[in-house]
């Protein structure tokens, strides 16, 4: 046994080296767990476009709300030609516990609107920087094909558009034609990216 003194508290604590190591390990695990929870802030369903301006050519987004804001801007006609979007954190769109059982009628989930649609495309550069987007939920059925086509994180990557270094995981995406994890329809370049989840479509 060794004595370990603390001058700030004016008392002597007696512990074995093993006890101290165990306490350090538990503290480290607790801090690591807290950090993992901190980055996993789940999307609240809103959009944030305050990060964007017409002057800069490179932007970094770090929240699900900002990612939804990118979708809003693109779907309103801003193709981001010549501009770069960097992903600065992992993004969680829905809590992914039990995602394997998600289906077309699963309730309690926020539905994702893809970046780009049947007529609007993303033509800039999206660099995921090695981060992941998880929890996408899309379940669209329509008698009008174009209304339920081009579904994914990106609905439509247009000519000149690049999506790279991003993972799309733990998702359920159901649509008509051109359905995928990273992108529904790709007319540009997708590089060093991957997806693992459930996709349902007709072609």
């Amino acid at each position: 046994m060794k004595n370990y003194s603390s001058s700030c508290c004016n008392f002597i604590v007696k512990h074995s080296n093993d006890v101290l190591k165990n306490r350090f390990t538990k503290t480290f695990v607790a801090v690591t767990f807290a950090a993992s929870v901190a980055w996993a802030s789940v999307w609240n369903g809103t959009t944030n476009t305050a990060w964007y301006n017409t002057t800069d050519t490179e932007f970094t987004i770090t929240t699900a709300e900002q990612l939804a804001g990118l979708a809003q801007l693109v779907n309103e006609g801003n193709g981001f030609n010549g501009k770069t979007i960097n992903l600065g954190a992992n993004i969680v769109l829905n809590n992914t516990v039990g995602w394997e059982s998600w289906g077309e009628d699963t309730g309690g989930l926020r539905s994702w609107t893809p970046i780009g649609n049947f007529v609007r495309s993303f033509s800039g550069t999206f660099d995921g920087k090695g981060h992941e987007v998880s929890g996408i939920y899309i379940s669209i059925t329509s008698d009008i094909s174009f209304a339920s086509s081009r579904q994914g994180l990106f609905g439509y990557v247009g000519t000149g558009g690049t999506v790279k270094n991003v993972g799309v995981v733990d998702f359920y995406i159901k649509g008509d034609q051109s359905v995928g994890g990273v992108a529904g329809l790709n007319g540009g370049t997708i590089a060093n990216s991957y997806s693992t989840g459930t996709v349902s479509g007709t072609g």
Side-chain angles (χ1 to χ4, degrees), residues 8-190:
C8 68
C9 303
N10 296 320
F11 63 86
I12 295 176
V13 182
K14 294 183 178 181
H15 283 302
S16 70
N17 288 335
D18 288 342
V19 171
L20 289 176
K21 289 178 181 177
N22 287 339
R23 290 196 172 183
F24 173 81
T25 300
K26 289 179 180 178
T27 301
F28 178 78
V29 170
V31 170
T32 301
F33 176 78
S36 68
V37 171
W39 68 256
S41 179
V42 180
W43 183 35
N44 65 16
T46 65
T47 61
N48 178 356
T49 60
W51 53 269
Y52 176 71
N53 63 72
T54 57
T55 303
D56 295 333
T57 59
E58 187 166 350
F59 306 89
T60 296
I61 58 179
T62 58
T63 70
E65 292 74 29
Q66 291 173 332
L67 186 65
L70 174 62
Q72 177 181 319
L73 290 168
V74 172
N75 295 338
E76 288 176 350
N78 185 343
F80 281 81
N81 303 65
K83 297 181 179 181
T84 298
I85 307 296
N86 297 312
L87 196 59
N90 292 323
I91 303 295
V92 182
L93 297 176
N94 283 288
N95 189 318
T96 58
V97 174
W99 73 270
E100 298 93 338
S101 63
W102 292 354
E104 60 180 302
D105 297 318
T106 302
L109 298 172
R110 299 191 186 280
S111 183
W112 174 248
T113 298
I115 302 167
N117 52 37
F118 196 79
V119 294
R120 307 288 192 186
S121 67
F122 176 80
S123 298
T125 296
F126 182 92
D127 189 346
K129 298 291 184 180
H131 293 105
E132 291 183 335
V133 177
S134 63
I136 293 177
Y137 181 79
I138 301 172
S139 181
I140 298 180
T141 301
S142 174
D143 293 333
I144 305 174
S145 178
F146 72 81
S148 54
S149 296
R150 303 187 181 182
Q151 303 297 325
L153 171 61
F154 287 81
Y156 183 11
V157 178
T159 303
T162 298
V163 176
K164 61 184 181 179
N165 306 323
V166 66
V168 181
V169 300
D170 302 352
F171 60 82
Y172 177 89
I173 301 174
K174 179 181 184 297
D176 191 2
Q177 299 181 40
S178 302
V179 180
V182 177
L185 181 63
N186 175 33
T189 301
I190 296 178

